[in-house]
Amino acid sequence: MYLPFVIVCIFSFSEVKYTIFLAYRVIANVRNFSGLIVHFPIGDSFKMREHTKRTIELLAPGGDADCVKAAISAGADAVYCGLGSFNARQRASNLSLEELQDLVAIAAQHGSKLYLTLNTLVFDHEIPEILTMLEGVYKAGVRVIIVQDLGLLHLIKSNFPEIEVHASTQLTTHNEGQIAFLSRFGVAQINLSRELSVKEIQPLCDAAHDVRMRVEVFVHGAFCISFSGQCYMSSNLCGKSGNRGACVQPCRRLYSLPHAKDRASAKAIFNLKDNFVFAEADKLYNAGVDSFKIEGRIKKFPYVYNVTSAWRDQIDALKDGREIRNDDNRLSAVFNRKFTSGYIDGAIGADMFIDSSRDQSLKHIANVAGYWADKKVLTLDTDANLEPDTEVLIYSPDFTFICKGVCTKKLRPFEYQFVIEHKLKGLICDGYQVFTQEISDDADRIKAIIDAMHPVKIPLTIQVSGTVGEPLKAVFKSPDDAVTLLSQLPLSEASNRPLDKDGVLAQFSRLGTTQFTIESLDVTELGINCFIPQKELNRLRCAAVDKLSGNTIDASQFAIPLISQDMSQKPNVRKAFVVDTLTGSGLQGDGKCNIVALILPNSIENVDFLAASINGSRSVIPFFSSILIGLDFTNAVALLEKLDRRMIITDNTGIADVASRTGRKWIAGPGFNIINSYAVKALATVSGFCGVFLSSEFSKDEVGQVQVPSGVDLWQALNYKKPIMTTRQCLIRNISGCVKKQCDKQCLPKCNRSATVTNTQGKQFTIVKKPGFYTVVLS
């Protein structure tokens, strides 16, 4: 039991709420809460929250031009999309720079806007390419960039404050300290980790709003089994990094369990259903969420249109005070793996998993009776009576995707001409299942809508005036704005052909791919026999386009000084011997290390006991975990306050923020995913930063030489096997069985089990759940 002995109530001006400080004294040797801070409004945490009419952003995915248009036409307030590289969905079609410019104009015409994703980790040698890309997207009219890499974040905000930066879910944000840390770098909007419940989201919204930051939450689409940004499984398997946008989705594959006799018993033990919080929209709204985000940049336009339009109607009902719906047929009519609201409801359990990645919106029509590749003929076991050009999908009996194709015409009963789209994923065998998707008819209607969407040029009226000896004056007017410009050179007397309307129009009409077109040109106030060089007219045109487009960054600013690679300056390399217990010979290290680093659990049971143990071990440096949610973060902060002044290692930016604000030296752990000099430079702006572990996901050859400033050490970990995945789910249940259908309060602090699984290539993985730690996967 616990005895609260101090209660302090503070009323803020922004909303009537309590800030309750509870200092607890432990009575039984169970758990010691020290310095727990809880925020909640008067009355019920959610239903009694002051209901002000806030604007909720609907943020939709755009994997290609059709998807962007589909999202816009369905009512998205903003669409997030990527170019060919440096985004977390390399498998998406993505956009060209030319397409992006047109789509920005189309979005503006419909009251929407585009966000560009640069949400991957980047290497030093890629920074010049990114700056070139950034210049292009800025000129195209994009003003919001979504990022993961701390170096890129710092680079953009330091040099281009006009560009708004949003923090990707890849930054694994789930506590107040992380929000404070990112606010140092000018982040305007933050996407929270998908593993959080509504009760855990609300205090984060409060914390974000206190620093003028908006909160974004995924409301629909695929789940990752791992905390985003902390998964290295794809990289471990085949060198394709999820943090570099190349994930091969190993979590969707089959794995053989211990003592399995054959592959037929393999299970999709990591495979989660899709996120579905449609019925909880009001709870998220009341919790303070500012942006509802839909996942799906590798989905096609029918998916984007249907899901976006359903959520548009739901948000409008919320905004108008009407009753919201619990479901919508449009959501189940498109790709899904069945649905779950387990995370938002705080009900993490077996019901969140599904044994197949097959699209549950598909309709089974027949099985394969025969396939002749040379003749492109597919025979079915029943007469499905398919219309010409019907799209079908073929799966094996264990629901492994084989191919997508089109039955172009019916040859005879049961037999069709069949053209495969893309590459086969395996042989088409007798007995394989054939599916259609009922959304195909609706797709034609949606395609007609988006095909009719084209950018409309903005008309300009231009007036020019001036006489010899004066600057040329040019007034450019659009329907919404006007700009007046003067030439840098005065008008001179023409020695040959004087400046006339045709001469001015010839230069001013060179608007290329910009969003403008000339409606009229007035030169009645232009003096006779005047001359000015063509390049000066071109300069005026370019300046007018920039100002009317809101381009305030000069092109020269994108050529920022890069960090030079000083090969002669070698960083001070130090080594840490990593242990996970305060007992045993490991505390002495191996004789080659500078310190012993003690990995701390995600959930700390007894703050006072652990603090005393660490303080009593001179050689030990505490190593804070990457995932610290809610009370676990509060207790980690309490531990930090009770430690002596020794430095710490942390994989969590929230703990780094607290350490910095309390004058403590700290080292960025491998969980920071640092792989470039700019990220180290960014961390160096945070007081107390004194060392860094580079990401262990990439080889030295891939990363190259990262420049480390004077006073900052480069650390290496000995005796450390970094998990290739960390999850809030229980995986043991899926492997060796557990009677609990849902994780309860005892699972995180008490469970101590492990198991092994093997993928279809024979590679073995160990699943480990230790007391106080989340479940991890080790290679």
Side-chain angles (χ1 to χ4, degrees):
M1 79 184 270
Y2 312 102
L3 283 181
F5 60 84
V6 179
I7 299 181
V8 180
C9 299
I10 302 173
F11 298 91
S12 75
F13 66 90
S14 59
E15 63 175 321
V16 181
K17 68 180 181 181
Y18 289 121
T19 299
I20 299 185
F21 178 86
L22 300 174
Y24 285 97
R25 182 187 309 167
V26 68
I27 300 301
N29 186 21
V30 184
R31 194 163 184 162
N32 179 12
F33 299 116
S34 173
L36 168 61
I37 299 176
V38 183
H39 298 273
F40 61 89
I42 290 179
D44 182 272
S45 296
F46 309 105
K47 295 179 181 178
M48 296 300 293
R49 187 181 179 91
E50 183 185 358
H51 189 82
T52 57
K53 287 195 174 183
R54 296 182 296 108
T55 298
I56 299 294
E57 176 185 72
L58 177 56
L59 180 55
D64 59 27
D66 279 352
C67 289
V68 174
K69 291 179 181 179
I72 294 168
S73 62
D77 297 303
V79 184
Y80 63 102
C81 51
L83 296 183
S85 54
F86 306 117
N87 77 87
R89 290 294 182 271
Q90 294 296 317
R91 291 190 299 131
S93 299
N94 293 309
L95 306 173
S96 68
L97 201 55
E98 292 73 22
E99 287 177 316
L100 183 67
Q101 191 163 29
D102 283 348
L103 292 169
V104 168
I106 292 172
Q109 290 162 205
H110 291 79
S112 185
K113 50 191 173 182
L114 265 57
Y115 298 166
L116 185 80
T117 56
L118 289 177
N119 55 339
T120 64
L121 302 180
V122 297
F123 298 121
D124 273 343
H125 67 83
E126 295 171 326
I127 295 296
E129 182 183 349
I130 285 182
L131 289 172
T132 300
M133 179 187 291
L134 200 59
E135 179 182 3
V137 301
Y138 179 79
K139 288 181 177 179
V142 175
R143 294 294 179 269
V144 175
I145 308 293
I146 302 172
V147 301
Q148 173 191 8
D149 192 282
L150 291 175
L152 185 56
L153 167 58
H154 182 57
L155 196 66
I156 294 173
K157 290 310 296 182
S158 297
N159 295 278
F160 318 112
E162 300 90 339
I163 296 177
E164 188 172 291
V165 176
H166 294 186
S168 167
T169 190
Q170 293 291 112
L171 278 163
T172 330
T173 306
H174 52 267
N175 64 49
E176 294 92 335
Q178 292 173 304
I179 290 170
F181 182 88
L182 289 172
S183 72
R184 295 169 179 263
F185 298 97
V187 170
Q189 186 161 305
I190 191 163
N191 185 235
L192 297 180
S193 295
R194 293 174 236 214
E195 289 80 3
L196 304 177
S197 70
V198 174
K199 290 183 179 180
E200 291 164 338
I201 288 171
Q202 181 178 326
L204 302 186
C205 289
D206 292 341
H209 295 161
D210 285 344
V211 292
R212 300 182 181 277
M213 191 185 294
R214 299 183 299 274
V215 173
E216 174 186 303
V217 169
F218 276 110
V219 296
H220 192 91
F223 273 131
C224 293
I225 183 68
S226 174
F227 286 93
S228 295
Q230 299 297 311
C231 185
Y232 313 98
M233 194 166 184
S234 177
S235 185
N236 177 269
L237 272 173
C238 53
K240 294 186 178 294
S241 169
N243 283 316
R244 296 270 293 161
C247 180
V248 297
Q249 294 190 316
C251 56
R252 302 296 180 189
R253 300 179 181 182
L254 298 177
Y255 293 82
S256 297
L257 306 185
H259 313 299
K261 294 181 180 180
D262 52 44
R263 187 174 181 269
S265 61
K267 294 175 62 179
I269 61 169
F270 300 113
N271 196 42
L272 287 174
K273 295 177 182 177
D274 284 354
N275 185 17
F276 183 86
V277 297
F278 198 70
E280 282 76 28
D282 56 341
K283 295 178 183 177
L284 289 172
Y285 180 82
N286 291 337
V289 175
D290 304 288
S291 178
F292 289 1
K293 186 173 188 176
I294 298 167
E295 183 276 339
R297 277 199 294 131
I298 58 174
K299 307 293 198 306
K300 298 303 181 183
F301 70 86
Y303 171 95
V304 173
Y305 185 90
N306 279 274
V307 175
T308 303
S309 61
W311 269 99
R312 178 74 275 159
D313 293 344
Q314 189 81 320
I315 291 174
D316 288 346
L318 211 61
K319 182 179 64 176
D320 298 340
R322 292 181 279 116
E323 184 176 355
I324 65 170
R325 302 177 63 182
N326 290 328
D327 201 352
D328 191 300
N329 290 335
R330 286 171 288 186
L331 301 176
S332 56
V334 292
F335 183 95
N336 69 85
R337 300 180 184 90
K338 292 190 176 179
F339 296 118
T340 177
S341 59
Y343 280 134
I344 286 293
D345 295 337
I348 301 172
D351 188 56
M352 294 183 68
F353 288 86
I354 186 171
D355 60 2
S356 168
S357 289
R358 180 177 68 82
D359 181 0
Q360 299 297 310
S361 71
L362 299 178
K363 179 183 178 182
H364 180 244
I365 58 165
N367 291 332
V368 175
Y371 173 66
W372 292 266
D374 55 340
K375 299 178 181 178
K376 297 182 179 179
V377 173
L378 177 70
T379 303
L380 306 180
D381 63 355
T382 59
D383 188 4
N385 198 27
L386 299 178
E387 295 292 328
D389 297 325
T390 296
E391 190 173 79
V392 301
L393 298 96
I394 299 177
Y395 285 80
S396 69
D398 65 356
F399 300 118
T400 299
F401 175 72
I402 301 299
C403 73
K404 182 179 183 180
V406 177
C407 293
T408 56
K409 66 178 179 179
K410 189 173 184 177
L411 302 176
R412 56 181 63 88
F414 309 99
E415 190 173 283
Y416 296 86
Q417 198 78 55
F418 183 63
V419 178
I420 294 172
E421 293 184 354
H422 309 302
K423 291 182 179 180
L424 276 170
K425 302 294 184 181
L427 295 176
I428 299 176
C429 302
D430 292 358
Y432 279 18
Q433 301 174 82
V434 182
F435 297 86
T436 59
Q437 197 162 31
E438 294 182 356
I439 197 68
S440 56
D441 292 339
D442 195 41
D444 293 336
R445 178 184 64 85
I446 299 168
K447 190 69 166 70
I449 293 172
I450 61 181
D451 282 348
M453 298 174 71
H454 302 286
V456 177
K457 293 284 187 178
I458 299 173
L460 296 179
T461 60
I462 307 173
Q463 290 177 306
V464 295
S465 60
T467 59
V468 173
E470 297 178 350
L472 177 70
K473 180 181 179 181
V475 180
F476 295 79
K477 291 182 180 180
S478 72
D480 301 316
D481 202 357
V483 58
T484 300
L485 299 171
L486 298 176
S487 63
Q488 293 177 347
L489 299 174
L491 289 162
S492 59
E493 190 168 338
S495 59
N496 188 2
R497 183 179 176 182
L499 187 63
D500 58 10
K501 184 174 183 177
D502 289 342
V504 175
L505 187 61
Q507 303 309 314
F508 281 3
S509 62
R510 295 170 61 185
L511 293 167
T513 58
T514 70
Q515 57 186 314
F516 301 104
T517 185
I518 295 178
E519 183 177 70
S520 65
L521 174 63
D522 182 0
V523 297
T524 56
E525 297 298 319
L526 180 64
I528 61 173
N529 206 35
C530 293
F531 171 80
I532 199 165
Q534 287 184 357
K535 66 178 182 181
E536 187 64 13
L537 293 175
N538 291 335
R539 188 194 66 79
L540 289 171
R541 182 195 70 244
C542 293
V545 168
D546 281 344
K547 288 184 180 296
L548 291 172
S549 302
N551 295 343
T552 58
I553 302 178
D554 186 85
S556 62
Q557 290 180 250
F558 290 95
I560 65 172
L562 300 178
I563 297 176
S564 61
Q565 296 294 320
D566 185 358
M567 307 306 290
S568 63
Q569 181 184 343
K570 292 186 178 181
N572 182 30
V573 178
R574 304 186 72 190
K575 297 179 180 181
F577 190 83
V578 181
V579 299
D580 60 4
T581 178
L582 280 169
T583 60
S585 59
L587 291 181
Q588 306 305 316
D590 66 348
K592 301 176 183 178
C593 61
N594 300 100
I595 61 170
V596 174
L598 172 68
I599 297 181
L600 302 180
N602 304 99
S603 179
I604 298 171
E605 276 283 88
N606 191 317
V607 173
D608 284 341
F609 176 80
L610 183 56
S613 300
I614 294 173
N615 288 338
S617 303
R618 293 184 179 180
S619 61
V620 169
I621 298 298
F623 187 163
F624 287 84
S625 298
S626 59
I627 310 299
L628 297 167
I629 299 172
L631 183 60
D632 295 329
F633 175 65
T634 302
N635 285 344
V637 172
L639 173 66
L640 193 62
E641 293 171 350
K642 290 179 178 292
L643 293 176
D644 56 26
R645 300 307 299 170
R646 71 185 68 196
M647 67 179 177
I648 65 163
I649 302 170
T650 177
D651 268 346
N652 188 283
T653 56
I655 291 297
D657 184 78
V658 175
S660 172
R661 296 180 192 277
T662 55
R664 185 184 296 272
K665 289 188 175 182
W666 61 277
I667 299 168
F672 272 62
N673 291 324
I674 304 300
I675 65 169
N676 63 65
S677 305
Y678 299 87
V680 179
K681 186 178 180 180
L683 295 179
T685 66
V686 182
S687 62
F689 172 64
C690 64
V692 60
F693 289 81
L694 298 181
S695 170
S696 56
E697 184 178 9
F698 306 99
S699 69
K700 290 181 180 179
D701 289 339
E702 288 176 293
V703 176
Q705 183 175 341
V706 172
Q707 297 298 296
V708 177
S710 176
V712 175
D713 295 327
L714 187 60
W715 285 86
Q716 296 175 355
L718 305 179
N719 192 45
Y720 179 52
K721 199 170 187 180
K722 183 170 177 57
I724 59 173
M725 179 192 294
T726 303
T727 180
R728 206 174 186 183
Q729 291 286 346
C730 173
L731 299 178
I732 298 296
R733 181 199 308 109
N734 299 349
I735 301 169
S736 57
C738 176
V739 296
K740 295 181 180 180
K741 294 299 182 184
Q742 279 189 14
C743 298
D744 59 30
K745 293 181 179 179
Q746 295 302 310
C747 291
L748 180 55
K750 301 297 183 184
C751 182
N752 186 18
R753 299 179 67 177
S754 64
T756 58
V757 295
T758 307
N759 71 1
T760 53
Q761 287 75 44
K763 185 165 184 175
Q764 193 173 81
F765 301 89
T766 304
I767 316 297
V768 179
K769 172 65 186 75
K770 292 182 179 180
F773 290 86
Y774 285 114
T775 302
V776 298
V777 179
L778 303 174
S779 174

